[in-house]
């Protein structure tokens, strides 16, 4: 049996202020860029035409754009990926937008004719074509927002049933952190927000929440054992006890995600990017967001427990400062 980092006693919580500062700066940078430039929605959400083409020979982008302009397809976005023979072409014409999906398909047909005329039908291969009308795009965008909202609602209900409110609030804040950092990541890498990316964000929420729950479950078990230690020490103990399992889980998931990222092609690549980042930010938030928030809540509202005489007093796990022994490490 593989044994990795068993019986460790690292002081993870010690670095929470640095960790929070770094993630706050990252979120501020990403959301600031988002406020200035907005979300980079895909064709699925905005409506229009997206065509992925592969040429048999390298093609000059300026010549390709000129050919489209000469055919009155103005403002098309041409993006090269992989080699200099593979491109994506995105176009949305105002006069065709009112024609809904039919208009988008018309634009796709015009682009195909231009490429065939300019380069020859035997020189190009249309890998895929997406044509979405503006109304359909608006409906998909609305449905994506509803899906995100429902995921949070279900998560809240689940936490309310499974944990006391201190743990639940800490887990929700950590989950919110993951959503904001993922949005910042998407913006800083200029990734498109598509239905695939929305699915990846929902997956990250579940993955991160599961990681936090595993640590909190161990914290709850350690609290029931009644050890003579502070909550600070209990949280560090729980993180160290779950460390071997976390490393194996995250490593295998990351390996599968990296395989998708490098070998699965352009369509699934945004999903793989978000998942790869989600593994990192989910682990980070479980240790440096959820645990410090739980400490802060415990300090503000210490838990009460019934003593043998029937009175209510704070438990010995309520202090949030490190013990002298821990601080010396």
């Amino acid at each position: 049996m593989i044994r990795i980092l068993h019986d460790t006693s690292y002081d993870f919580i010690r670095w929470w202020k640095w960790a929070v500062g770094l993630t706050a700066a990252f979120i501020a940078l990403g959301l600031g860029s988002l406020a200035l430039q907005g979300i980079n929605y895909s064709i699925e959400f905005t409506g229009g035409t997206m065509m992925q083409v592969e040429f048999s020979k390298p093609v000059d982008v300026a010549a390709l754009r000129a050919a489209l302009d000469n055919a009155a397809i103005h403002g098309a976005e041409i993006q090269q990926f992989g080699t200099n023979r593979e491109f994506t072409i995105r176009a949305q014409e105002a006069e065709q937008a009112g024609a809904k999906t039919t208009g988008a398909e018309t634009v796709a047909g015009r682009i195909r004719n231009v490429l065939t005329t300019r380069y020859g039908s035997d020189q190009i291969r249309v890998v895929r074509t997406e044509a979405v009308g503006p109304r359909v795009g608006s409906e998909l965008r609305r449905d994506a927002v509803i899906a995100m909202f429902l995921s949070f609602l279900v998560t809240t209900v689940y936490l309310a049933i499974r944990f006391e409110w201190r743990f639940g609030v800490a887990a929700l804040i950590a989950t919110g952190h993951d959503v904001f950092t993922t949005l910042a990541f998407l913006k800083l890498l200029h990734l498109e927000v598509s239905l695939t990316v929305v699915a990846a964000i929902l997956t990250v929420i579940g993955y991160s929440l599961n990681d936090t729950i595993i640590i909190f479950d161990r914290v709850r078990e350690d609290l029931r054992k009644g050890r003579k230690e502070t909550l600070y020490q209990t949280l560090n103990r729980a993180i160290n006890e779950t460390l071997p399992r976390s490393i194996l889980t995250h490593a295998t998931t990351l390996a599968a995600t990296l395989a998708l990222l490098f070998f699965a092609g352009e369509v699934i690549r945004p999903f793989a990017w978000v998942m790869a980042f989600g593994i990192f930010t989910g682990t980070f938030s479980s240790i440096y967001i959820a645990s410090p928030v739980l400490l802060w809540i415990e300090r503000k509202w210490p838990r009460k427990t019934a003593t043998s005489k029937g009175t209510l007093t704070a438990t010995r796990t309520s202090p949030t400062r490190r013990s002298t022994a821990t601080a010396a490490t």
Side-chain angles (χ1 to χ4, degrees):
M1 180 179 178
I2 300 177
R3 295 177 63 85
I4 300 175
L5 297 177
H6 277 259
D7 301 324
T8 57
S9 58
Y10 300 120
D11 187 358
F12 289 97
I13 309 298
R14 177 182 181 183
W15 304 102
W16 76 269
K17 290 182 179 178
W18 287 94
V20 170
L22 286 174
T23 196
F26 180 77
I27 291 174
L29 185 63
L31 296 188
S33 176
L34 195 65
L36 292 175
Q37 300 176 351
I39 296 177
N40 184 21
Y41 286 115
S42 73
I43 286 292
E44 295 164 331
F45 292 141
T46 61
T49 302
M50 195 283 289
M51 183 177 292
Q52 180 182 342
V53 295
E54 180 181 4
F55 295 88
S56 58
K57 299 178 181 178
V59 171
D60 182 69
V61 176
L64 178 58
R65 187 181 304 281
L68 294 173
D69 285 339
N70 291 335
I73 303 175
H74 303 292
E77 297 179 13
I78 302 174
Q79 183 179 9
Q80 176 186 330
F81 67 95
T83 68
N84 58 355
R85 297 185 296 107
E86 298 174 86
F87 298 88
T88 57
I89 301 172
R90 304 169 189 275
Q92 183 180 31
E93 292 189 321
E95 60 268 25
Q96 296 291 346
K100 302 178 182 178
T101 304
T102 304
E105 292 174 349
T106 301
V107 175
R110 290 177 57 194
I111 294 175
R112 187 190 300 269
N113 291 336
V114 169
L115 298 180
T116 302
T117 304
R118 174 68 175 79
Y119 298 99
S121 59
D122 57 336
Q123 298 295 312
I124 66 169
R125 182 171 71 92
V126 178
V127 179
R128 65 185 173 112
T129 301
E130 295 180 10
V132 180
R135 181 175 178 180
V136 175
S138 175
E139 291 175 352
L140 289 174
R141 190 164 60 241
R142 182 200 61 196
D143 292 344
V145 172
I146 292 175
M148 298 279 288
F149 173 76
L150 289 178
S151 70
F152 263 106
L153 181 63
V154 173
T155 298
T156 304
V157 172
Y158 172 75
L159 291 173
I161 295 173
R162 176 155 184 168
F163 291 106
E164 64 170 289
W165 70 271
R166 293 175 180 81
F167 290 86
V169 170
L172 274 180
I173 292 176
T175 303
H177 161 272
D178 296 336
V179 173
F180 283 119
T181 54
T182 303
L183 290 176
F185 176 77
L186 287 170
K187 187 59 188 174
L188 294 178
L189 259 67
H190 303 292
L191 295 176
E192 283 189 339
V193 177
S194 62
L195 288 175
T196 304
V197 168
V198 171
I201 294 175
L202 295 176
T203 306
V204 167
I205 290 174
Y207 186 89
S208 171
L209 185 62
N210 180 65
D211 199 50
T212 302
I213 287 175
I214 289 172
I215 294 177
F216 278 2
D217 261 342
R218 188 59 60 93
V219 171
R220 191 169 52 179
E221 291 174 6
D222 288 342
L223 289 176
R224 288 172 179 169
K225 293 176 181 176
R227 290 193 174 96
K228 295 181 178 179
E229 60 185 16
T230 65
L231 183 58
Y232 182 102
Q233 293 168 321
T234 302
L235 283 167
N236 263 325
R237 175 192 294 277
I239 295 170
N240 278 282
E241 288 175 345
T242 57
L243 192 59
R245 174 229 172 253
S246 298
I247 289 176
L248 289 176
T249 302
H250 300 325
T252 52
T253 308
L254 184 62
T257 303
L258 291 179
L260 290 175
L261 184 62
F262 292 117
F263 304 114
E266 189 67 21
V267 176
I268 204 67
R269 193 159 291 155
F271 177 88
W273 269 119
V274 174
M275 281 302 301
F277 179 77
I279 293 171
F280 167 76
T281 193
T283 307
F284 177 91
S285 66
S286 299
I287 298 174
Y288 293 110
I289 301 298
S291 298
V293 168
L294 181 60
L295 279 171
W296 180 82
I297 294 175
E298 189 72 23
R299 183 176 59 186
K300 289 291 185 182
W301 297 278
R303 70 186 64 242
K304 306 292 183 180
T305 183
T307 66
S308 58
K309 295 181 179 180
T311 58
L312 295 178
T313 60
T315 66
R316 57 176 170 271
T317 58
S318 59
T320 58
R321 296 183 181 280
R322 289 178 293 159
S323 67
T324 305
T326 305
T329 59

